[in-house]
Amino acid sequence: MGFFESEIVQDEARRLFTDYQELTQLGSDYGKFDREGKKLFIERMEELMDRYRVFMKRFELSEDFQAKLTVEQLRTQLGQFGMTPEQMFSQMHLTLERMKSELGPSS
């Protein structure tokens, strides 16, 4: 069975895509959130990024040709912006850390 034929892979891809769409749509109102809402949004984004990182690692470790091709396509696309997948994750992490620091210390 190919990597993309796996029901687990398909389900997680669907969930990641749906969760990402919902969070980005919700994020357009981020400035209107109260402090707790912002904290919750940041936590959800961190969880999503962790799930995405694990999902991509599965691609990288797979021996499946399509999975390897997908990783290479991602590297090529990010390369057009002068970035690697590792740098993309690092940038996302820095952005979320900056968002947390803008909230100030916890009460």
Side-chain angles (χ1 to χ4, degrees), residues 14-72:
R14 244 186 322 272
R15 288 182 35 229
L16 278 169
F17 182 73
T18 302
D19 292 351
Y20 177 77
Q21 280 188 314
E22 289 172 359
L23 275 173
T24 54
Q25 188 174 9
L26 187 63
S28 65
D29 289 330
Y30 181 82
K32 299 175 188 174
F33 297 168
D34 64 9
R35 187 175 193 288
E36 288 305 309
K38 288 178 179 180
K39 281 175 54 178
L40 187 59
F41 178 80
I42 292 167
E43 287 171 13
R44 294 294 178 264
M45 283 300 290
E46 287 176 326
E47 290 168 6
L48 182 69
M49 290 302 104
D50 287 343
R51 285 174 43 214
Y52 186 63
R53 184 179 284 115
V54 169
F55 191 71
M56 288 307 301
K57 187 54 79 176
R58 287 183 185 142
F59 276 77
E60 292 172 12
L61 296 175
S62 175
E63 295 298 320
D64 183 83
F65 174 76
Q66 285 298 115
K68 290 187 179 302
L69 184 60
T70 300
V71 171
E72 285 310 308

Side-chain angles (χ1 to χ4, degrees), residues 42 91 93-103:
I42 292 167
Q91 190 60 45
H93 176 74
L94 288 174
T95 298
L96 292 170
E97 288 299 315
R98 186 177 66 245
M99 290 168 73
K100 279 195 248 184
S101 71
E102 289 171 358
L103 292 177

Side-chain angles (χ1 to χ4, degrees), residues 72-85:
E72 285 310 308
Q73 288 172 337
L74 176 64
R75 288 188 183 284
T76 299
Q77 289 170 348
L78 289 172
Q80 293 173 349
F81 299 100
M83 191 177 287
T84 66

